[in-house]
Amino acid sequence: MDLVNHTWTQSFLLAGFTTTGALRPLAFLGTLCIYLLTLAGNLFIIVLVQADSRLCTPMYFFISVLSFLELWYVSTTVPTLLHTLLHGRSPISPTVCLVQLYVFHSLGMTECYLLGVMALDRYLAICRPLHYHALMSRRVQLWLAGATWVAGFSAALVPASLTATLPFCLKEVAHYFCDLAPLMRLACVDTDWHAQVHIVVIGIINACNLVLILGLYGGILRAVLKLPSAASRAKAFSTCSSHISVMVLFFASAFIVYVGPPESRPEGTDKLLALVYTFLTPFLNPIIYTFCNKEVREAVRRVTQSIRAMIKRPRGSSHRPFTW
């Protein structure tokens, strides 16, 4: 790899994935299609929650916040992935690289906190049903959502600022976006201390949220098992299944990449694992929340019927307008 000047006047090079000439356009088009479907799916959930009054509940409010976050999360890394797939090794300025690093980890930590808030919402709905609406008022929802963003963007300052202070001697980033481990490998100095700080900060945040989520779902499980009928137990579990699926995808890949020892993984594994939480999870979230959720499917049907009714209604009709 080439040497880079410590004055930061040169660009880094994103290596991306190694693809042959014949596979490169196919990989680019496939990635682009999934990216556009991801944007469309998450936008669809946001619009659906706003359009259907029966989805104006705390659970779907937090799902719409998650979809909004996923729009930015996937758009932080996929454009550079597409560029490397189309053009091969791609230059990126140090400033843009560090901004991408900070925004990516800020959104990732925000999602970590948000998944904890969503578990808390399910716990209160199932275990404290009589006080649920008082405890999860609109003001509390907005406060919790805002707190996750503030906490996420604040926590990411630590790894991003530590990485920004490193002197770099190499310029080729063995990844398709600027991440912690690939950038630290380019440093002129020993980065063991930096790596330990990153593991502690990211590991503690992930571990604390995971313990909180597991504790809340433990309480949910005990409460559900006490319900008298199988139908009520199935309904209670169905409201949590989507969240559990998303949580497993997110935390499993994040722990492997950022908490496990890097030397235990073969070279190039980080890039493949990164596709899970930067690309696959945002793509699957709308599918999981749509097809695994009966209320969302019914909302889609209601909205579709109302749109058809408005299209078929003749102009100048004196009928009352349709309301959701």
Side-chain angles (χ1 to χ4, degrees):
M1 290 185 287
D2 302 323
L3 294 180
V4 67
N5 195 317
H6 290 187
T7 59
W8 289 74
T9 56
Q10 298 186 41
S11 297
F12 289 125
L13 284 176
L14 294 175
F17 288 98
T18 303
T19 54
T20 62
L23 290 177
R24 181 171 292 177
L26 292 177
F28 173 81
L29 290 175
T31 303
L32 179 62
C33 288
I34 296 176
Y35 175 53
L36 294 177
L37 286 172
T38 302
L39 296 180
N42 283 287
L43 278 172
F44 174 76
I45 287 181
I46 296 171
V47 172
L48 184 66
V49 171
Q50 295 298 318
D52 192 274
S53 60
R54 297 187 191 181
L55 296 184
C56 291
T57 63
M59 182 176 78
Y60 292 107
F61 168 75
F62 290 124
I63 289 175
S64 66
V65 173
L66 178 63
S67 292
F68 178 74
L69 185 150
E70 296 288 27
L71 290 174
W72 293 101
Y73 193 55
V74 73
S75 297
T76 304
T77 58
V78 174
T80 53
L81 171 61
L82 290 170
H83 197 273
T84 57
L85 287 174
L86 190 62
H87 300 287
R89 295 197 311 171
S90 302
I92 183 172
S93 72
T95 302
V96 174
C97 184
L98 288 172
V99 169
Q100 183 185 50
L101 172 74
Y102 172 66
V103 173
F104 169 73
H105 281 279
S106 296
L107 294 171
M109 292 186 185
T110 300
E111 181 166 350
C112 182
Y113 287 119
L114 184 59
L115 291 174
V117 169
M118 293 170 74
L120 174 63
D121 171 70
R122 291 298 81 212
Y123 174 83
L124 293 176
I126 294 173
C127 300
R128 301 288 187 272
L130 298 179
H131 306 285
Y132 174 60
H133 291 289
L135 293 171
M136 198 59 73
S137 63
R138 187 64 176 179
R139 182 178 179 181
V140 172
Q141 295 172 43
L142 294 172
W143 186 88
L144 287 173
T148 60
W149 286 80
V150 172
F153 276 76
S154 299
L157 286 171
V158 176
S161 58
L162 283 177
T163 306
T165 59
L166 289 172
F168 295 100
C169 292
L170 302 168
K171 65 184 296 184
E172 185 172 321
V173 182
H175 215 304
Y176 61 87
F177 70 95
C178 293
D179 203 1
L180 292 172
L183 282 177
M184 287 194 297
R185 295 190 191 106
L186 311 183
C188 308
V189 297
D190 181 66
T191 58
D192 287 345
W193 179 79
H194 295 77
Q196 290 173 4
V197 172
H198 297 161
I199 290 174
V200 168
V201 172
I202 298 174
I204 286 178
I205 290 174
N206 277 275
C208 289
N209 278 279
L210 183 59
V211 169
L212 171 66
I213 291 171
L214 292 176
L216 291 170
Y217 272 104
I220 290 172
L221 180 62
R222 288 194 300 270
V224 169
L225 292 177
K226 293 178 182 178
L227 294 176
S229 67
S232 58
R233 289 194 294 270
K235 182 178 179 180
F237 277 127
S238 68
T239 63
C240 303
S241 59
S242 301
H243 181 256
I244 293 174
S245 302
V246 172
M247 181 193 71
V248 169
L249 277 173
F250 178 83
F251 280 104
S253 55
F255 265 102
I256 292 173
V257 173
Y258 296 108
V259 182
E263 61 274 5
S264 65
R265 299 186 296 272
E267 186 178 354
T269 305
D270 285 356
K271 287 190 288 187
L272 295 174
L273 289 171
L275 287 175
V276 175
Y277 58 88
T278 64
F279 194 45
L280 183 62
T281 303
F283 171 69
L284 291 178
N285 280 356
I287 298 174
I288 292 171
Y289 284 119
T290 301
F291 292 105
C292 296
N293 193 307
K294 183 179 179 181
E295 290 182 342
V296 173
R297 294 198 301 270
E298 291 177 350
V300 171
R301 180 180 54 80
R302 288 193 299 269
V303 172
T304 303
Q305 289 176 348
S306 67
I307 293 174
R308 288 175 179 173
M310 287 188 290
I311 292 174
K312 292 180 180 179
R313 186 182 301 131
R315 292 183 179 181
S317 174
S318 59
H319 295 297
R320 291 180 60 189
F322 185 91
T323 56
W324 287 316

